Amino acid sequence: MWRVLTVLLLATLVLSGCQGHDSLNVLDPSGSAGQKQLDLIKWSFFLMCGVFAVVITIFIYVLIRFRKRKGIDVMPEQTHGSNTLEIIWTVIPIILLAVLAVPTVTYTFDLADMPREEDSIKVKVTGYQYWWEFQYEGMNIKTAQELHIPVGKKVHLEIHGKDVLHSFWVPALGGKTDVIPGRVNTMWLDAKKPGVYQGKCAELCGAGHALMDFKVIAEEQADFDKWVAQMQKPAVAQTASQKEGEKIFMQNCLGCHAGTNPRIIGPDLNKFGTRTTIAGILPHDEQNLKKWLKDPTSVKPGTLMPKIDYLEPKEMDALVDYLMNRK
Ligand code: CUA
């Protein structure tokens, strides 16, 4: 008895750890794709609850009605081979599956229907080990880890993979869609209210899989337009220290982080100063940027980012100053 209780108590503790990040909750969607998916979950859940209730009621009734009692020793009527019963319990599941299939098929087609160009924006998403790249079609914007979208507008996502299998998932808005190298998958999502929605890679893709996070930042149209305008403006190093940092960046980082290199293996850092995270997971401040630069694998196991631990402290300060101010 105590063992069972201990296990249950521990399970409560462990499982309550699953909650916490509100925006990771599929049961509280903030977008119409997520809402449709929740409708389907509810539909099948309550249907199954009905089946469960009927089966359990019959089960309990039979247990009580035909239990062995003192002095009474009757064998209930045997129904083996009854055609009527066989037909009934074959037809009922067929009806249940049909009832489930109608909304499932309808929603599957709804979600596969890509929005019309005039009422949507189109973003090319690329999954890399272990980060996400976002390219806005027709806007000349390329960024990473943070997908800005306007509230109420459908976002048409064209999903590419560069190395291994990943899966693009924003629990509160909808998903998941497989990221497969050599294949282009599409999906759409929208957000009904402004907010920051956590995104996750939902396919085991290597040592850094659990940390392959990103954010969807939904803003009112005016704020989104402001963000677009800012992203389109070139970032220019202002102070002497930032200019020094720029030189160090050119010499040490550009090989992987050049926005124009088609064989790019690191994210575009053009507007790095506007981001809210370092490597998609750490809070965006100088201390964390230094930590990431000096020992990236201690932050994200398996990352391709090499250690930048050979710079003089002054050089490191200049590089960090430059990156944090690329806005
Ligand atoms: Cu990418 Cu898991």
Side-chain angles (χ1 to χ4, degrees), residues 175-192:
K176 324 159 171 166
T177 298
D178 280 336
V179 179
I180 303 168
R183 200 193 134 83
V184 181
N185 280 340
T186 51
M187 67 177 273
W188 63 264
L189 46 79
D190 60 2
K192 285 183 194 147

Side-chain angles (χ1 to χ4, degrees), residues 166 201 203-205 209 212:
H166 305 275
C201 174
E203 177 88 44
L204 181 61
C205 55
H209 157 72
M212 192 170 160

Side-chain angles (χ1 to χ4, degrees), residues 39-58:
D39 290 348
L40 280 183
I41 293 175
K42 281 187 187 159
W43 186 237
S44 10
F45 180 76
F46 289 118
L47 197 73
M48 291 310 142
C49 284
V51 172
F52 181 77
V54 170
V55 170
I56 285 296
T57 311
I58 296 175

Side-chain angles (χ1 to χ4, degrees), residues 7-50:
V7 169
L8 284 178
L9 272 174
L10 279 176
T12 318
L13 278 178
V14 172
L15 291 175
S16 58
C18 297
Q19 224 254 338
H21 229 302
D22 282 349
S23 74
L24 275 178
N25 192 351
V26 276
L27 300 177
D28 182 19
S30 303
S32 31
Q35 185 59 52
K36 279 182 198 287
Q37 286 160 357
L38 178 63
D39 290 348
L40 280 183
I41 293 175
K42 281 187 187 159
W43 186 237
S44 10
F45 180 76
F46 289 118
L47 197 73
M48 291 310 142
C49 284

Side-chain angles (χ1 to χ4, degrees), residues 276-285 287-289 291-292 299:
T276 61
T277 54
I278 310 273
I281 39 178
L282 296 177
H284 196 258
D285 61 41
Q287 226 47 40
N288 281 329
L289 179 54
K291 184 177 165 187
W292 166 251
V299 175

